[in-house]
Amino acid sequence: MRLNPYCMCCAVNKQEQKIRCFTDMEKKTEYMKKVMGVLAAAGPDDCAPSISIKLKKLYSQYWNPQAALSEEGIFSQIKHEFNQLMLSIEHQLKENIRRATDPLEAALLYARIGNYIDFAALSNVDKNEVLSMIEEENKEPLDQAEYRNFRRDLDTAASLVYLTDNCGEIVLDKLVIKILKEQYPHLDITVVVRGYPVSNDATMEDAAEAGMTSVARVIGNGSDVAGTWYPGISQETKDLLESADLIIAKGQGNFETLHQCGLNIYYLFLCKCQWFQTLFNAKPLQGMFVNERR
């Protein structure tokens, strides 16, 4: 999804909020000019997640060279806490999935709810809130027409790539992978995580902590962009995506970086910002299950 005016304004506002506590008005003015310069220099392949990385680097260079390291340390603890939170309820969720009329749909719904765990898109991610959302028994179903298409694709697919998003959420993704492997034992599944730490996105370290590495092949995508941004990912990841019969992409970031690529992608996410709510005519935190080609 190409950079658009709404996301550009959002990026500027977020940067202003980050420096609002500083007192040097002249320095702040110069910084905001540089921010707008980054946006003005955006290329045709840029999108909100790729611009976000450029602005993050600009901020650390201009205000605090240690900011990126400090943020990484903070998120490392947060990621561990949410991975452990989801692991603590994993057994109960597996039982719920087994009892469901359609275990695969139930697993996908839990995985979609897990997309709430997003510190980049939401100002406050509350543990009790995510547990409450999970306990509501997945009242909002998947789009049934798209789910039927998804099932038909699975029947004929030989390979599937699963693009993860956030920490904690990856535990719920693992439940989807397990059901897929049971129901489609000949399906070759590869799970892709971020190549480097970015916000609370899942990396190889999180995949190992969540137990994902014990149920499927997992690779890092070679990038620190919060999504699957083609100009930044590894050739291995590009080859996987282009040869896959079917792709599941979790989260807004993957939609923002991959939309209009034309691959057979099923996006699974919650609408967490006003632009996505406008784009899909959705309520805040409404769940989406949409296909790239349709």
Side-chain angles (χ1 to χ4, degrees):
M1 187 173 74
R2 291 182 178 178
L3 198 62
N4 61 73
Y6 186 91
C7 292
M8 294 171 77
C9 289
C10 182
V12 170
N13 290 334
K14 284 183 177 180
Q15 292 302 308
E16 189 280 325
Q17 290 169 9
K18 286 181 72 171
I19 66 170
R20 193 173 292 177
C21 60
F22 301 145
T23 57
D24 189 334
M25 194 60 68
E26 288 188 8
K27 187 175 180 180
K28 290 201 294 185
T29 300
E30 287 304 310
Y31 176 72
M32 291 307 298
K33 288 180 180 178
K34 291 183 181 293
V35 167
M36 288 183 277
V38 170
L39 290 164
D45 293 327
D46 271 313
C47 55
S50 67
I51 289 296
S52 177
I53 291 298
K54 294 176 184 179
L55 292 177
K56 178 181 176 181
K57 291 176 180 176
L58 174 65
Y59 178 86
S60 64
Q61 291 167 0
Y62 203 81
W63 294 100
N64 181 6
Q66 300 301 313
L69 292 175
S70 175
E71 182 180 273
E72 185 177 326
I74 292 170
F75 277 120
S76 178
Q77 179 60 33
I78 289 172
K79 289 163 74 175
H80 173 69
E81 289 176 4
F82 276 88
N83 284 336
Q84 291 301 313
L85 177 66
M86 292 297 102
L87 285 169
S88 72
I89 62 172
E90 179 184 7
H91 179 71
Q92 181 58 55
L93 297 184
K94 283 195 292 188
E95 290 188 350
N96 293 349
I97 289 168
R98 297 294 180 199
R99 291 197 299 266
T101 304
D102 185 341
L104 178 57
E105 182 180 18
L108 287 167
L109 287 169
Y110 279 128
R112 187 172 69 180
I113 289 173
N115 192 233
Y116 168 80
I117 308 171
D118 187 345
F119 285 80
L122 298 174
S123 58
N124 179 39
V125 178
D126 183 72
K127 291 180 180 179
N128 292 326
E129 178 65 20
V130 69
L131 291 175
S132 175
M133 291 169 71
I134 287 172
E135 288 170 3
E136 286 181 359
E137 296 288 336
N138 297 315
K139 292 178 180 176
E140 186 181 357
L142 299 178
D143 181 288
Q144 290 303 295
E146 211 55 87
Y147 184 60
R148 287 192 294 271
N149 291 327
F150 177 66
R151 279 288 200 176
R152 282 194 291 268
D153 283 347
L154 281 171
D155 288 337
T156 58
S159 60
L160 180 146
V161 174
Y162 195 108
L163 302 174
T164 63
D165 194 15
N166 300 310
C167 68
E169 179 181 357
I170 195 172
V171 176
L172 307 180
D173 297 329
K174 182 179 68 174
L175 300 179
V176 176
I177 299 298
K178 285 186 172 182
I179 295 297
L180 284 170
K181 291 176 79 71
E182 289 176 10
Q183 296 189 0
Y184 302 91
H186 303 298
L187 189 63
D188 180 31
I189 301 175
T190 301
V191 176
V192 180
V193 296
R194 304 289 186 261
Y196 300 96
V198 51
S199 187
N200 69 306
D201 289 16
T203 60
M204 287 296 293
E205 182 179 0
D206 298 294
E209 181 177 11
M212 181 69 89
T213 53
S214 66
V215 300
R217 177 192 178 214
V218 184
I219 67 165
N221 69 2
S223 174
D224 62 352
V225 172
T228 307
W229 188 51
Y230 246 64
I233 60 176
S234 67
Q235 189 61 50
E236 178 186 19
T237 307
K238 291 177 184 176
D239 292 343
L240 267 174
L241 293 172
E242 289 166 7
S243 63
D245 296 314
L246 184 60
I247 301 165
I248 299 174
K250 292 293 298 299
Q252 287 187 175
N254 277 321
F255 183 91
E256 289 175 293
T257 49
L258 285 169
H259 181 48
Q260 297 178 327
C261 71
L263 299 173
N264 189 23
I265 304 175
Y266 286 86
Y267 297 104
L268 189 68
F269 58 87
L270 300 180
C271 290
K272 289 170 286 190
C273 75
Q274 190 174 342
W275 171 244
F276 269 75
Q277 291 157 29
T278 300
L279 195 62
F280 292 100
N281 191 28
K283 300 174 293 184
L285 296 181
Q286 183 173 332
M288 293 287 121
F289 186 60
V290 294
N291 182 268
E292 167 69 20
R293 293 174 175 172
R294 286 180 289 276

